[in-house]
Amino acid sequence: MLTLAIQKKGRLNEQSLQLLRESGIHIANGMKHRLKSRSSNFPVEILYLRDDDIAECLANGAADIGIVGENEFLESGFDLRRIQKLGFGKCRLSIAFPKNKPFGSLKNLNGLSIATSYPNILENFLQENGLSASIHRISGSVEITPEIGLADAIFDIISSGSTLVSNGLKEVYTVLHSEAVLLAAKTLPAEKEEILNQLIFRLRSVLKAAVYKYILLNVPNEKIEIICKILPGMKSPTVIPLAEPGWSSLHSVIREDDFWQRIDRLKENGAQGILVLPIEKMII
Ligand code: ATP
Ligand code: MG
């Protein structure tokens, strides 16, 4: 049995549970206030925690693996394995400065005080850049600190530009792009490592499927060769003759980003009736 810690409630809770569901792992929901639940079809037990506590629980053995924002992981400073980025909970941590004051370059932070809930990440950043600002640690309402004279600048998650603007701030430097990650304790017993590998395989199949699409299109037979080059697919496309002579149906997979770049070339080569469908799982 592997113990997985996820956020109890908040921005990462629902998407963590959804990723597990899409990976075919059933978890009873229902009882709202439960702190622990066990999957009925996969050897994993879920612990519901505050995101601040997840990295520590992995470091001290209370849980084996966890899903948490990279920002929380880096801030915690614990030595854990970062197994996989999960594609949700995306945000950025930036320095913001009063918008009515000129900022210039990072050097202007020297001698100033910066308020943040992420003092460790900020300290590393300042050190790496040879800057000497003082760090004012605060657990919430960071955006208000320059206005009330508690700090000169802030370092925080930028939710929307509008929160900054309404507090008279402007984003001046992005320090970190973060997203939810799967973490694991530094070492696990062999049987837990085996379950973790099965879980990673499932998660990657789901994550890969999310960026690819299944594409079907009708092509004139004389264009099959060139369209196969535009849509090479996993091994090669499937080509099936249509009832109408001279035409075939071609099936392939394509990254969604690539689709928009290649659509014009498909049309130029006579492709018709193009259908693009979601893929649920993808095992290569
Ligand atoms: P907890 O009660 O578990 O301590 P929290 O209030 O610290 O929750 P949330 O606001 O739920 O945390 O955010 C969890 C994570 O979601 C953040 O640490 C960050 O990685 C990610 N995230 C994504 N977008 C945002 C955003 N706009 N604002 C804040 N966090 C975000
Ligand atoms: Mg928290």
Side-chain angles (χ1 to χ4, degrees):
M1 179 75 62
L2 195 67
T3 307
L4 163 64
I6 65 168
Q7 194 188 23
K8 179 168 161 46
K9 55 180 191 220
R11 287 190 159 86
L12 304 181
N13 168 271
E14 183 44 43
Q15 279 166 297
S16 303
L17 288 169
Q18 187 184 332
L19 182 58
L20 295 172
R21 277 196 295 274
E22 285 170 356
S23 305
I25 296 170
H26 297 164
I27 295 145
N29 45 8
M31 280 193 280
K32 266 263 171 258
H33 302 294
R34 72 195 313 175
L35 299 177
K36 226 176 179 187
S37 58
R38 188 181 277 200
S39 166
S40 55
N41 66 352
F42 192 81
V44 68
E45 181 178 54
I46 314 293
L47 281 189
Y48 300 90
L49 299 173
R50 287 207 51 191
D51 68 350
D52 316 50
D53 300 329
I54 291 177
E56 185 174 359
C57 282
L58 301 189
N60 68 21
D64 303 312
I65 60 172
I67 295 178
V68 75
E70 208 165 6
N71 52 315
E72 287 296 331
F73 166 48
L74 292 174
E75 182 59 26
S76 78
F78 287 107
D79 186 17
L80 302 168
R81 283 182 286 162
R82 198 184 69 168
I83 305 279
Q84 175 72 47
K85 291 188 177 197
L86 299 174
F88 61 88
K90 290 190 178 174
C91 59
R92 61 187 192 278
L93 271 74
S94 296
I95 293 172
F97 204 69
K99 66 170 183 279
N100 54 7
K101 292 189 189 162
F103 176 69
S105 73
L106 281 176
K107 277 193 301 222
N108 293 344
L109 292 173
N110 282 329
L112 299 186
S113 79
I114 308 174
T116 186
S117 317
Y118 295 95
N120 295 331
I121 297 176
L122 179 59
E123 179 156 13
N124 286 338
F125 171 76
L126 293 175
Q127 257 176 30
E128 277 164 18
N129 289 278
L131 300 166
S132 62
S134 66
I135 298 174
H136 187 96
R137 184 189 198 127
I138 184 166
S139 60
S141 306
V142 175
E143 284 110 335
I144 200 151
T145 54
E147 201 185 322
I148 59 174
L150 258 186
D152 300 304
I154 67 160
F155 171 62
D156 202 9
I157 294 184
I158 305 299
S159 319
S160 67
S162 62
T163 318
L164 284 187
V165 171
S166 62
N167 286 288
L169 298 169
K170 62 187 170 200
E171 184 177 4
V172 293
Y173 194 88
T174 302
V175 172
L176 177 77
H177 287 276
S178 172
E179 66 185 86
V181 286
L182 178 70
L183 301 177
K186 214 56 189 149
T187 56
L188 289 173
E191 90 268 13
K192 290 192 178 199
E193 203 65 48
E194 176 55 34
I195 303 169
L196 173 58
N197 284 334
Q198 289 172 27
L199 177 66
I200 294 170
F201 178 77
R202 291 188 185 203
L203 294 178
R204 289 190 178 150
S205 305
V206 173
L207 295 169
K208 220 174 279 156
V211 292
Y212 283 89
K213 298 285 169 203
Y214 191 80
I215 178 166
L216 302 97
L217 57 168
N218 295 330
V219 298
N221 285 347
E222 66 276 14
K223 297 289 186 183
I224 289 174
E225 202 175 326
I226 181 152
I227 290 183
C228 284
K229 289 200 178 110
I230 303 170
L231 297 173
M234 287 202 278
K235 204 175 193 75
S236 71
T238 305
V239 181
I240 308 166
L242 288 189
E244 183 171 328
W247 283 81
S248 295
S249 169
L250 190 141
H251 301 201
S252 192
V253 295
I254 185 168
R255 289 181 72 98
E256 184 160 27
D257 311 345
D258 293 343
F259 172 74
W260 294 109
Q261 285 161 18
R262 293 185 201 179
I263 179 79
D264 289 339
R265 279 165 67 207
L266 294 175
K267 288 199 293 198
E268 274 160 30
N269 283 289
Q272 294 180 2
I274 302 173
L275 300 179
V276 179
L277 309 175
I279 299 174
E280 193 173 307
K281 312 268 187 306
M282 190 156 163
I283 294 151
I284 298 178

